[in-house]
Each structure stands twice: as structure tokens, then as C-alpha cells.
Amino acid sequence: MIEILDNLDVLSRPHLDLTTVAMNGIALGAPAAGVPRRSIVEAQSSVVARYRGGTDIDSEYYDADGRQLTLDEVVNHAARSDGFLYCADKLTYKVQAGTVVGFAIYGPHLSHFAHLTSYEELLAAFGSPDQAREDEAYGDLMGYDNYYWGSQKHVRWDAWGHRVSLINLGAFEGNTGP
């Protein structure tokens, strides 16, 4: 099993067998209950009907009846069903039917790719994507979303920050083709 956080270069492979990788010791296909609880700072699950949170605001979760839920309740529900488990170390686990089906990496881990300072350098390092989408807002180029279907991978290039800002693997929209 390849621990991707110890070998971030593996993320630039155009064809990556996802059955051979793990993130923080959690493999794709593993039970979501195995994600270390101490690292989870937020969660998303269908049990949450209303959410309040943001920068410098403690997260609040409410069910359909307006009852406030604890983070533990939301994490437990997500780990048993579908949702996302967000960790303090800028890692996210996507969960379906209680199984980890995707990883998202953002934040300081991606400083490993800081030597890539242009979109052209990203393409040279990661290869040509199966699909690239330009993200524009009000006529400004915000970035590129590159999808590599052979490795079920999405690499986000931030055109303003000139950096890789997100890599996700697995069962995320767009990762397996149209």
C-alpha cells in the first residue's frame, strides 16, 4: 500500500491504481469508521438539514426538526452512511454507504508542488488531462480543473495563486469521465 502523504509524487502519475493507495493509513474501500476521530473537525451528512459555520465561527448542525446536533452525531451518521469527514490537517474523506470512496488533499500538503509556478508546468508534471475546464468569474480566469480519468483524479490549478490548490482521488464528480 502506498501512503500518498509520504510519497506525494505518486499523485502526478497519469495512471494510478487506487486500490494501492492510502491516505493517513486509510485505504479507499476501508470502513469510514476507521478515520481517526481526533482529527475530524467538521462533517457533512444527510442528517444535517441546516448548517451554520465559517471562518472564526463554530460549526452548528441542525436536523430537519431544528434540533441541534453535535459534531459526534454528524460524524457517526456520515461514517455509517454517506457524507464527508473533514480533518484539521486539510484532508477530507468522502464516504458512501459507510465506506471511504474518495480522498481530497488541499492546504499545506500541496506545497510539495510549489515548484510548479505555471499551468504549463503543471501539465508537464501531471500530463495532459482527459478533460480540462476553465473556471471563470466575471471574465477573470480563476483556475483550471483537470480530470484524469485513468486515475480517477482531479487536479485544481489556482490561476491567481499560481499553484496546485486541490487534488482529489476516487468517487468525486468528473473523475471517471462524462
Side-chain angles (χ1 to χ4, degrees):
M1 192 66 55
I2 301 168
E3 176 54 57
I4 57 177
L5 296 178
D6 294 337
N7 186 8
L8 289 166
D9 286 329
V10 75
L11 295 173
S12 63
R13 291 182 186 169
H15 298 286
L16 178 61
D17 180 357
L18 296 185
T19 64
T20 66
V21 298
M23 186 172 75
N24 262 356
I26 306 295
L28 288 176
V35 175
R37 293 294 175 113
R38 68 189 177 285
S39 68
I40 300 171
V41 294
E42 284 191 45
Q44 181 181 346
S45 172
S46 61
V47 73
V48 177
R50 189 169 56 90
Y51 168 80
R52 180 179 178 271
T55 306
D56 299 325
I57 299 173
D58 289 337
S59 296
E60 296 176 3
Y61 304 93
Y62 297 90
D63 68 11
D65 295 328
R67 183 178 71 84
Q68 187 166 1
L69 303 167
T70 66
L71 176 60
D72 281 341
E73 288 175 303
V74 178
V75 168
N76 288 338
H77 190 270
R80 286 190 318 268
S81 60
D82 298 339
F84 294 89
L85 302 174
Y86 301 98
C87 299
D89 49 1
K90 305 297 184 189
L91 304 172
T92 298
Y93 298 88
K94 183 176 182 181
V95 179
Q96 288 179 337
T99 300
V100 175
V101 297
F103 302 141
I105 303 166
Y106 44 98
H109 298 287
L110 297 179
S111 66
H112 178 80
F113 299 105
H115 64 283
L116 304 175
T117 59
S118 71
Y119 181 64
E120 292 73 24
E121 289 178 7
L122 171 112
L123 293 176
F126 283 81
S128 295
D130 294 296
Q131 183 175 48
R133 293 185 188 153
E134 288 185 359
D135 177 20
E136 292 185 358
Y138 305 105
D140 291 325
L141 178 65
M142 305 304 289
Y144 295 93
D145 292 298
N146 293 339
Y147 297 92
Y148 299 85
W149 300 331
S151 54
Q152 295 181 37
K153 176 176 60 184
H154 168 208
V155 179
R156 168 87 177 155
W157 177 257
D158 178 342
W160 286 41
H162 304 285
R163 64 186 179 88
V164 175
S165 60
L166 168 74
I167 298 177
N168 69 41
L169 302 169
F172 287 91
E173 184 177 338
N175 284 5
T176 57

